[in-house]
Amino acid sequence: MTVIGLEHGQLEKTLRDSGLVSEKDLDAALEAEGANKNERLADKLIRMGIADEELLLRAVAIQNDLPFIKIIAGLGDPSLSDVLDKDWAKGHGVLPLYRVHGELTCAIADPTDLFTIDALRRLTGLKLRLAVASPSEIEAGLSKTNDSMHSLLVDDIIREVGDQVGEEELEVVDSSIDEIDALAEKAGTSPVVRFVNVIILKAIRDGASDIHIEPDETVLRVRFRIDGVLRQDENINPPLGLAPAIVSRIKIMSGLDIAERRAPQDGRMRVNSAGRAIDLRVSVLPAYTGEKVVIRILDRDSMMGDLSALGLSPRILEGLDAQVRQPNGVMLVTGPTGSGKTTTLYAALATINSVDRNICTVEDPTEYSLPLINQVQVNPRANLTFSSALRSLLRQDPDVIMVGEIRDGETAKIAIEAALTGHLVFSTLHTNDAVAAIPRLVNMGVESYLLAAAMNGVLAQRLVRRVCLQCKNIEAPTADERGIFERNEIEVEMIAKGAGCKACGGTGYSGRVGLHEMFSIDDEMRDVITVDASLSSLRQKAKDKGHKNLAFDGLLKVAQGMTTLDEVVRVAEIKR
């Protein structure tokens, strides 16, 4: 057995001065022949039974003017399990014990290792006090402090949140599980598996669209995006030390490389919950404080409808239904990320889907598998971009083409050419309103006369939170609120607001409803586009023709008690 941190001359002096070993025994050891010519004094003392590991570690402590301690069960602050990475601490023989006023006390096996001490100071950002302890006791202490306390903390979370999701089980299907190393083994342990399952089940039960798992410097934060707004459940506070295992478990479930921690990764899995098939899209991003995970929840059942299932106002539904039944041309849906554009396009495809049509899509990524529809996922590594995939699809004898997003001029030009050659093309575009889609395409390099010939219409949309039905209050609008409706030529007697209850998490909102703006392009508008495709001229012509914007549809939904004026103001420009 070799004790680190001991030199022959220093050890002899320390043992003589401290009296840890008698002069007689020490002289006998020095005079005895060693097992080999280079045998150290510490090893000779242990071999001869004069000293054991603990005695020599006490000498190390005295030699470095540090206390020697015994690691016993319960020693150490469990909250410090997040201060230092367990694997690093184990590899360097360090056990965090307690922290007082910004000073961290640690047990260390080798106090002469200045590199480890310097790294410890940098990693924790705290002032250090050191004590010497046995390496085996430090390792055991790390195991007890981290694993048992993490398990207890996770068990508490599972017990608290599990009561909310009930006895429901989560079955993972269509995933690639290959547990190949120690981290995968840890990620497969019961507390981590159950924690990840409970988090996914709770997100599904609460109607969340996304799960965010974010390591900070001191905490591991879990948030759900519900009704378009991120929320944090106070009951879900997993220990930071479990972050690598939780991320690895999610990677295993979604078929990602758990050994890769420096590059972004995207994966997917399918789970069954209460008889429902739910797709989960996983994105892992290396951040400064660790790997961040976002899980997009794609409920297949919520997508299996046509345009009539979208909750469109009659005026918008009639216009959009007419657009999707055109024999050719381009129909665009605009709005920011997360505004439901893909849902609308899928509903449009479902409306016209039939066995006598060849419908093809190019998406990034493919979010849902649709029957009778040929779906292609963009793969830049294989040089399969929107533009290259679209060119290939045109050789597949399509009737209808959906392009997930028009991102560049090349894709825009190919889409316009496809429409002009007899195809019906659906796509999305990022603009603030429907009318702005035309000048946006012109800025991408599409000739205005080609746009005039190919464009059928543009639908702009936003999602706003719906008033909670459980705590919905009906009240008269204030004078200022009534003035807004009057200036937009809308009659209103009463409006609805949510008081906040347990069902809606105290927000007053539950679920979402869409606001829409339909910009149909007729012959008069085509003439304007050909002559002057500027935003100002297009808006003026649309206004002259009675075009209604997003704010108008939003105010109608406020008057109908679906949402609130605050929500409409949040996403649309209101004439005050």
Side-chain angles (χ1 to χ4, degrees):
M1 181 183 296
T2 300
V3 177
I4 52 182
L6 288 173
E7 296 297 334
H8 180 101
Q10 292 176 330
L11 175 59
E12 179 185 353
K13 184 177 186 304
T14 300
L15 291 176
R16 289 189 187 278
D17 292 345
S18 65
L20 289 171
V21 176
S22 69
E23 294 278 350
K24 180 181 177 181
D25 287 340
L26 187 56
D27 289 339
L30 290 170
E31 293 172 2
E33 293 185 4
N36 60 67
K37 187 182 299 185
N38 297 319
E39 186 178 23
R40 300 195 321 163
L41 176 59
D43 297 329
K44 192 184 295 187
L45 289 168
I46 291 174
R47 179 174 57 80
M48 295 175 66
I50 296 172
D52 57 13
E53 181 189 45
E54 181 179 324
L55 186 144
L56 293 174
L57 284 170
R58 289 181 183 276
V60 172
I62 293 171
Q63 186 175 295
N64 290 275
D65 196 24
L66 295 172
F68 173 81
I69 62 172
K70 294 281 292 179
I71 306 296
I72 59 176
L75 181 64
D77 184 349
S79 67
L80 294 179
S81 60
D82 295 337
V83 168
L84 203 60
D85 179 75
K86 178 186 173 183
D87 292 333
W88 186 93
K90 187 174 181 180
H92 292 80
V94 177
L95 172 65
L97 295 175
Y98 52 87
R99 175 175 49 191
V100 179
H101 301 307
E103 187 175 65
L104 178 67
T105 298
C106 293
I108 189 168
D110 182 9
T112 65
D113 186 351
L114 300 182
F115 292 103
T116 292
I117 295 172
D118 183 61
L120 180 62
R121 187 177 289 110
R122 285 186 286 104
L123 287 171
T124 62
L126 300 169
K127 295 173 63 176
L128 297 179
R129 292 185 63 185
L130 300 177
V132 178
S134 163
S136 59
E137 291 183 0
I138 287 176
E139 184 175 351
L142 281 169
S143 177
K144 291 177 182 177
T145 299
N146 285 276
D147 291 342
S148 63
M149 289 311 303
H150 283 173
S151 296
L152 288 172
L153 289 169
V154 171
D155 285 342
D156 287 341
I157 295 170
I158 292 171
R159 192 177 303 111
E160 182 74 28
V161 180
D163 290 341
Q164 302 174 28
V165 299
E167 298 297 324
E168 187 178 340
E169 294 292 331
L170 186 76
E171 179 190 0
V172 182
V173 296
D174 191 22
S175 67
S176 175
I177 298 181
D178 185 16
E179 303 189 17
I180 57 175
D181 59 14
L183 192 56
E185 182 179 348
K186 181 179 178 183
T189 57
S190 179
V192 173
V193 171
R194 288 187 294 134
F195 175 77
V196 173
N197 287 354
V198 164
I199 291 303
I200 294 174
L201 283 170
K202 178 169 173 56
I204 294 171
R205 194 215 65 163
D206 290 352
S209 61
D210 301 88
I211 304 170
H212 290 240
I213 302 174
E214 308 158 318
D216 207 336
E217 291 187 352
T218 57
V219 297
L220 178 60
R221 186 178 297 107
V222 178
R223 296 189 288 174
F224 299 149
R225 186 175 294 280
I226 300 174
D227 297 337
V229 178
L230 281 173
R231 303 183 194 173
Q232 184 170 0
D233 191 321
E234 295 181 357
N235 295 322
I236 304 176
N237 294 295
L240 182 60
L242 275 185
I246 291 171
V247 173
S248 294
R249 174 60 187 169
I250 295 170
K251 286 181 178 179
I252 289 168
M253 295 169 70
S254 52
L256 300 180
D257 182 2
I258 66 173
E260 177 58 74
R261 303 182 193 177
R262 296 174 297 177
Q265 295 189 72
D266 295 310
R268 63 188 309 144
M269 68 181 108
R270 180 173 299 168
V271 299
N272 289 331
S273 173
R276 287 191 299 160
I278 296 174
D279 290 321
L280 304 178
R281 198 173 76 210
V282 178
S283 173
V284 181
L285 179 69
Y288 176 72
T289 52
E291 290 182 286
K292 173 181 176 176
V293 178
V294 175
I295 303 175
R296 170 64 59 87
I297 300 173
L298 306 170
D299 189 347
R300 299 164 61 84
D301 291 344
S302 67
M303 297 291 293
M304 299 298 107
D306 56 15
L307 292 176
S308 62
L310 294 180
L312 301 167
S313 62
R315 174 179 55 86
I316 299 294
L317 178 59
E318 181 181 354
L320 183 57
D321 187 71
Q323 293 292 342
V324 302
R325 298 183 187 280
Q326 295 291 324
N328 52 62
V330 177
M331 172 68 205
L332 296 179
V333 180
T334 73
T337 301
S339 60
K341 299 187 298 295
T342 300
T343 301
T344 299
L345 286 179
Y346 279 5
L349 294 180
T351 300
I352 60 175
N353 192 14
S354 63
V355 72
D356 59 345
R357 286 178 184 261
N358 179 17
I359 301 178
C360 303
T361 74
V362 186
E363 304 170 66
D364 183 21
T366 300
E367 294 191 353
Y368 299 92
S369 177
L370 303 175
L372 288 178
I373 295 178
N374 306 289
Q375 296 172 270
V376 177
Q377 179 162 315
V378 168
N379 184 358
R381 292 183 179 179
N383 199 31
L384 185 63
T385 62
F386 277 117
S387 56
S388 63
L390 187 51
R391 288 186 188 278
S392 297
L393 282 185
L394 289 174
R395 295 190 288 271
Q396 291 284 316
D397 186 31
D399 297 302
V400 180
I401 300 172
M402 186 192 93
V403 183
E405 183 182 346
I406 293 179
R407 297 179 178 175
D408 52 61
E410 184 179 6
T411 304
K413 291 176 182 177
I414 298 172
I416 295 297
E417 291 171 3
L420 292 174
T421 53
H423 304 90
L424 181 60
V425 180
F426 297 132
S427 190
T428 69
L429 194 65
H430 287 281
T431 61
N432 290 329
D433 58 25
V435 179
I438 303 301
R440 173 82 176 106
L441 290 171
V442 171
N443 290 337
M444 284 185 174
V446 181
E447 298 292 344
S448 58
Y449 69 90
L450 294 177
L451 281 177
M455 292 297 300
N456 290 339
V458 183
L459 177 76
Q461 69 178 58
R462 302 287 190 279
L463 291 176
V464 293
R465 291 180 291 176
R466 189 186 291 268
V467 175
C468 176
L469 296 178
Q470 302 296 320
C471 59
K472 182 176 182 179
N473 290 329
I474 304 298
E475 57 187 56
T478 64
D480 289 341
E481 291 171 337
R482 191 179 296 277
I484 293 174
F485 287 98
E486 290 175 352
R487 284 188 289 275
N488 286 273
E489 300 178 352
I490 296 175
E491 294 184 4
V492 62
E493 296 297 329
M494 306 293 285
I495 59 176
K497 293 182 180 179
C501 64
K502 185 176 180 180
C504 63
T507 63
Y509 299 98
S510 180
R512 288 193 286 180
V513 63
L515 309 186
H516 301 90
E517 172 188 356
M518 188 70 226
F519 178 45
S520 298
I521 299 174
D522 57 14
D523 289 341
E524 287 184 61
M525 192 61 69
R526 296 184 198 280
D527 291 339
V528 175
I529 293 172
T530 302
V531 175
D532 182 7
S534 66
L535 184 59
S536 57
S537 64
L538 291 172
R539 280 183 174 167
Q540 184 58 52
K541 183 62 176 179
K543 182 179 179 181
D544 294 342
K545 293 175 65 63
H547 173 74
K548 302 298 184 183
N549 59 16
L550 275 169
F552 181 84
D553 193 50
L555 291 174
L556 281 180
K557 288 183 167 64
V558 174
Q560 294 166 4
M562 295 184 185
T563 188
T564 64
L565 190 57
D566 289 340
E567 279 293 287
V568 176
V569 170
R570 182 172 63 87
V571 301
E573 295 182 9
I574 297 289
K575 185 189 298 183
R576 292 182 175 272

